[in-house]
Amino acid sequence: MSSTATRLLQPARHSTAAWLSSSSTRCARPLRLVLGIETSCDDTGAAVLDEAGRVLGEALQSQKEVHLKAGGIIPHVAQQLHRENIQQVVKEALSTSGVSVNELAAIATTVKPGLALSLEVGLQYSLQLVDRYQKPFIPIHHMEAHALTIRLTEQVEFPFLVLLLSGGHCILAVARGISDFLLLGQTIDIAPGDMLDKVARRLSLIKHPECHGMAGGKAVEHLAQTGDRQRYTFRLPMQQYRNCDFSFSGLQSLVNKAIIQKEKEEGIQEGELLSCAKDIAAAVQHVVAAHIIQRTHRAMLFCIKNSILLPKTATLVVSGGVASNQYIRKGLQTLANANGFAFLSPPPRLCTDNGVMIAW
């Protein structure tokens, strides 16, 4: 990392806290404006927000089509596409907002976690702007941004239970404040979005006539709607572990074995479509949802028992790309209702990666 980047990242926590705490005087002056830049994976995003949460301008360039054809995200390809897109994306966000870089109070950028090659593009571009225009730099933790997006769209007070579901992460935590989180559980291997994508590739859903142009997880969700999940039963992971962690790799292995067995029975090769693809998709989606719901239930009970959350104000917030899966979302909504928790989730467009959440 460059000396400039190191210098700017060192005081991240203190400078961010100080910048936020100075909001107490916001009524006496114009609202400050922040440019947010996101390049942690395969979406190039930028947005301009004021500190009241108004989105003045935003732009997003997705790489989905390219990676869909490749069968997955290839890091150096993602990096090159970010390099090709970032200048135009930032320019569009600024242009739409009617704000110049000189008018910004700060520039915020995702610095972790994510694909290193992708993150590098956003960080380097941001630091160029920071050096050129002498603006404060705010390094943003990608998952913290997802966790706090709900406070842009809803009136939510700290603390609250947050479940982050994506292609790279599965995290249960209590959000106690800005940059103040109590980690309760996380995946010990792969994330649910990653597993759903791998199952979709193993089933060759890209070839399915109903799934043209759909990402893996979306294809599984679509086919599951008309599948019979009861035709296949997959064992719930981590039943013997009395914690809030998740595991999806063992489940993926069980699904792969079932697919291989069905291919033998139908006399087809890997890469050809199974006649029961919809049923397998339904069964997989159900067991993933059940596992997530079970671990989240444990977290709810833990928080109430230990007075981390109060029954009258207990809230479950679900965010991240997989939170847009309606089957999983409805299951978590039912869980929240049954346990006296309010259920909140950002609109689907803010559940996936974007510059808005970084600026916010």
Side-chain angles (χ1 to χ4, degrees):
M1 184 178 289
S2 70
S3 59
T4 303
T6 303
R7 171 174 56 81
L8 288 166
L9 291 175
Q10 285 298 330
R13 287 288 183 236
H14 298 295
S15 61
T16 304
W19 195 89
L20 288 165
S21 64
S22 65
S23 297
S24 59
T25 59
R26 67 179 59 175
C27 293
R29 49 158 176 74
L31 294 177
R32 293 169 298 182
L33 307 173
V34 176
L35 169 66
I37 296 176
E38 157 64 28
T39 64
S40 67
C41 191
D42 61 339
D43 290 316
T44 311
V48 177
L49 268 70
D50 66 23
E51 59 190 300
R54 289 185 301 169
V55 181
L56 304 182
E58 63 176 303
L60 185 69
Q61 181 65 51
S62 175
Q63 304 174 6
K64 185 184 77 170
E65 294 297 330
V66 174
H67 298 301
L68 193 60
K69 292 175 183 176
I73 297 173
I74 303 172
H76 74 269
V77 173
Q79 180 188 46
Q80 183 57 38
L81 291 171
H82 280 305
R83 284 174 175 162
E84 294 173 6
N85 295 327
I86 189 164
Q87 184 172 356
Q88 181 57 38
V89 167
V90 171
K91 182 180 178 181
E92 184 181 336
L94 289 169
S95 176
T96 304
S97 69
V99 172
S100 68
V101 179
N102 282 319
E103 295 174 277
L104 296 171
I107 295 172
T109 304
T110 306
V111 296
K112 65 178 182 179
L115 299 176
L117 294 178
S118 293
L119 288 167
E120 181 184 22
V121 177
L123 181 58
Q124 287 182 347
Y125 188 83
S126 300
L127 295 183
Q128 289 172 10
L129 292 178
V130 166
D131 282 347
R132 180 178 176 184
Y133 294 94
Q134 293 299 295
K135 295 295 180 180
F137 177 74
I138 306 178
I140 301 296
H141 189 292
H142 182 75
M143 300 315 293
E144 288 184 7
H146 272 304
L148 299 179
T149 300
I150 193 65
R151 285 169 55 86
L152 177 64
T153 60
E154 303 282 348
Q155 291 289 330
V156 188
E157 297 299 324
F158 295 114
F160 56 84
L161 179 63
V162 61
L163 171 65
L164 304 175
L165 302 169
S166 71
H169 302 277
C170 188
I171 297 172
L172 268 168
V174 176
R176 299 182 292 198
I178 305 294
S179 298
D180 183 9
F181 292 84
L182 173 65
L183 180 65
L184 300 180
Q186 60 188 325
T187 179
I188 62 172
D189 38 60
I190 64 174
D194 185 26
M195 182 204 156
L196 291 172
D197 285 345
K198 287 176 177 175
V199 169
R201 285 200 294 274
R202 187 60 185 82
L203 285 170
S204 301
L205 297 188
I206 193 172
K207 298 178 181 179
H208 199 285
E210 294 183 31
C211 301
H212 179 70
M214 290 185 184
K218 196 65 182 175
V220 170
E221 180 182 8
H222 175 74
L223 293 184
Q225 292 176 355
T226 51
D228 181 4
R229 66 174 179 81
Q230 295 183 330
R231 285 193 60 190
Y232 298 91
T233 302
F234 298 110
R235 186 175 68 253
L236 273 174
M238 301 190 75
Q239 290 295 286
Q240 70 275 31
Y241 293 97
R242 298 173 62 83
N243 57 34
C244 299
D245 287 334
F246 304 84
S247 174
F248 297 94
S249 62
L251 181 57
Q252 183 191 328
S253 296
L254 291 176
V255 174
N256 285 345
K257 288 179 182 178
I259 292 172
I260 291 170
Q261 180 61 35
K262 290 305 296 182
E263 287 173 342
K264 288 179 180 178
E265 292 176 10
E266 296 190 10
I268 64 172
Q269 300 294 316
E270 180 177 343
E272 298 180 71
L273 286 172
L274 284 169
S275 63
C276 57
K278 290 185 176 183
D279 299 330
I280 293 177
V284 169
Q285 179 178 252
H286 178 74
V287 72
V288 167
H291 179 44
I292 291 170
I293 289 167
Q294 185 181 69
R295 310 313 280 183
T296 303
H297 186 209
R298 291 185 61 84
M300 287 177 165
L301 296 176
F302 176 82
C303 287
I304 295 299
K305 181 179 179 181
N306 291 279
S307 300
I308 297 170
L309 299 176
L310 299 177
K312 288 184 178 180
T313 58
T315 300
L316 171 65
V317 171
V318 183
S319 191
V322 178
S324 61
N325 179 295
Q326 293 303 303
Y327 188 84
I328 295 174
R329 186 185 284 233
K330 287 177 182 176
L332 289 165
Q333 170 95 63
T334 301
L335 173 69
N337 293 343
N339 288 272
F341 275 62
F343 177 86
L344 295 173
S345 185
R349 75 177 190 88
L350 292 179
C351 282
T352 52
D353 296 347
N354 61 86
V356 172
M357 70 179 189
I358 304 305
W360 174 240

